[in-house]
Amino acid sequence: PVLGPGATAYMGATVRDSVLEAFPLAKADALVRGVSSAEAGLTRIKEVATKRHLKTLNHIGRVTAVPGDASKPKLGISNAEYAVLASELDLIVHAAGKADHLMGYQAMVNDNVLSTLEVLRLASEQKVKAVVNIGSTNMWLSFSNKEKNDEVIKEDVDLDALSTGLFNGYSQSKWVSEQLCLRASKRGVPVITVRPGVLGGNARSKYVPNEDSFMWRMFVGCQQLGYVPNLSSSAMTETPADWFSEIFGKLISSPRTWKSNYHVFHIRNERPVEMDTMPTLAGHTRPKAVSHDAWVDAFNKEASNPHSTNLLTPLRHFVAKGELAHLPHFDQSRTKEVLGDAWSECPPYQFDFAL
């Protein structure tokens, strides 16, 4: 049996889809927050899977919803339910958490740090269980008015070098979460962390957007605004959910992964997408390409409107300064080494919108 906290969020639903495909005989217990019954939890899982065209629907007979909360003691479930999970589980895939770049560390600690502690505690109860922790490449997110594109982060990077250079509360909470996993690993719990890029819609089938991703907000925001920056500032990366699900499933189901003594793996699309090359949404005209400064001026005017419905307006604190969001390149050598011939390169987006 496999437990998946964070079962209905964009990442959690993608990960569960991957687990069900990679382990065709496994039962999947899905921890669902904010529901009062297993039936209500399963209904939500089905709704998410239907909206996103997920393969979970093909395996729904192997899915059990568990109402709970990963940030609460014993996952917010009864002692009896907890004891059953502790004795039966073989693998925990920890995708629960909150991704918000506007909140401070204290607002993120329950969802991103305490949930990791609870998962690791469960992994140590009654019998040792393997743990896959979903990390984040956004620990290296920075903003600058200069272009930077030559930095490369390796999978064995020393996280201690980041301890005083983290951008915001989200980055800090994910850093602490990874450190907890490293400590548990040293104490005998088999733990790996997979750092994906920010997930987006499928590359090879219907593109159902991750409405919280910066690329989606940038894309729709530019269409709403009528302008798009024409420089590399409009180039974004997003990792297709279907490709990530495929590679992730191969990685966590391969014995080579668990025998490798590697603690961290990257799965990220390194191919940038430029806003002015994306298709036009229905009901909008193609935005005009302008200089970055001109685009920032147009956005500031829009964001100053208290009734603005532009998807970028909630992020005006970052965008309005005219600074560019930067992420370095992420080396994926370990992932490729472990997978060998099973590795496949990320396909380009087709942007078959399902809206």
Side-chain angles (χ1 to χ4, degrees):
V2 180
L3 176 67
T8 57
Y10 204 91
M11 175 63 76
T14 303
V15 163
R16 182 187 59 255
D17 222 43
S18 178
V19 167
L20 290 169
E21 287 284 298
F23 299 98
L25 300 179
K27 295 189 301 179
D29 293 309
L31 195 70
V32 184
R33 183 159 61 176
V35 296
S36 58
S37 67
E39 292 77 13
L42 193 61
T43 296
R44 186 187 295 177
I45 289 170
K46 290 177 181 178
E47 289 172 349
V48 171
T50 300
K51 177 182 178 181
R52 290 190 49 203
H53 307 274
L54 296 176
K55 296 175 182 177
T56 292
L57 294 172
N58 299 332
H59 309 287
I60 202 67
R62 294 192 281 130
V63 178
T64 300
V66 180
D69 185 337
S71 68
K72 303 295 184 183
K74 292 189 174 181
L75 307 180
I77 62 180
S78 70
N79 288 337
E81 289 176 304
Y82 189 86
V84 170
L85 290 178
S87 64
E88 293 185 353
L89 287 176
D90 302 299
L91 172 66
I92 306 173
V93 182
H94 176 35
K98 179 185 292 183
D100 191 313
H101 292 287
L102 300 178
M103 292 184 173
Y105 177 79
Q106 291 302 323
M108 312 294 289
V109 68
N110 286 356
D111 289 306
N112 293 351
V113 177
L114 296 187
S115 64
T116 304
L117 275 174
E118 290 303 322
V119 163
L120 295 173
R121 183 174 288 117
L122 175 59
S124 306
E125 290 277 351
Q126 296 196 32
K127 68 174 185 178
V128 176
K129 307 154 193 69
V131 176
V132 180
N133 173 55
I134 301 297
S136 175
T137 56
N138 275 343
M139 287 192 292
W140 286 269
L141 179 67
S142 65
F143 284 80
S144 171
N145 57 9
K146 297 180 180 179
E147 295 186 30
K148 300 182 294 184
N149 55 19
D150 57 350
E151 184 182 8
V152 177
I153 303 300
K154 294 189 175 183
E155 288 150 307
D156 62 353
V157 64
D158 182 4
L159 284 184
D160 288 335
L162 270 172
S163 59
T164 59
L166 296 161
F167 172 68
N168 57 15
Y170 173 72
S171 300
Q172 293 162 5
S173 66
K174 296 302 285 186
W175 182 89
V176 174
S177 177
E178 276 205 35
Q179 294 284 37
L180 292 172
C181 290
L182 285 173
R183 290 187 182 184
S185 179
K186 292 176 181 177
R187 295 176 181 177
V189 179
V191 186
I192 62 171
T193 290
V194 175
R195 297 188 193 125
V198 175
L199 289 195
N202 292 342
R204 295 167 291 203
S205 58
K206 289 294 183 182
Y207 181 97
V208 181
N210 176 1
E211 296 177 358
D212 288 330
S213 85
F214 186 76
M215 190 177 98
W216 178 250
R217 286 181 177 272
M218 183 73 174
F219 169 56
V220 177
C222 286
Q223 305 249 338
Q224 292 174 310
L225 191 62
Y227 298 100
V228 61
N230 61 4
L231 300 176
S232 60
S233 58
S234 70
M236 307 285 168
T237 56
E238 194 176 72
T239 299
D242 53 349
W243 175 74
F244 171 80
S245 178
E246 174 191 336
I247 299 299
F248 181 80
K250 291 176 179 178
L251 183 69
I252 66 171
S253 62
S254 171
R256 293 183 62 186
T257 300
W258 300 97
K259 294 176 182 178
S260 68
N261 292 320
Y262 294 153
H263 300 296
V264 177
F265 298 88
H266 291 158
I267 304 176
R268 185 176 186 269
N269 175 25
E270 290 288 316
R271 181 187 290 111
V273 178
E274 294 187 3
M275 295 294 107
D276 59 359
T277 66
M278 293 179 69
T280 304
L281 287 173
H284 292 81
T285 58
R286 191 161 190 80
K288 180 182 178 181
V290 297
S291 70
H292 180 77
D293 289 343
W295 181 83
V296 170
D297 289 342
F299 172 75
N300 281 334
K301 183 177 179 180
E302 168 64 26
S304 66
N305 178 1
H307 304 294
S308 173
T309 59
N310 192 287
L311 285 191
L312 278 171
T313 297
L315 302 179
R316 60 187 177 273
H317 173 71
F318 304 123
V319 180
K321 292 191 295 184
E323 295 181 337
L324 311 181
H326 288 287
L327 277 171
H329 298 288
F330 290 86
D331 179 72
Q332 302 178 98
S333 297
R334 287 181 170 180
T335 308
K336 293 178 180 179
E337 175 192 332
V338 166
L339 292 184
D341 292 340
W343 166 266
S344 62
E345 295 294 337
C346 182
Y349 269 117
Q350 302 301 316
F351 291 113
D352 181 7
F353 291 121
L355 301 174

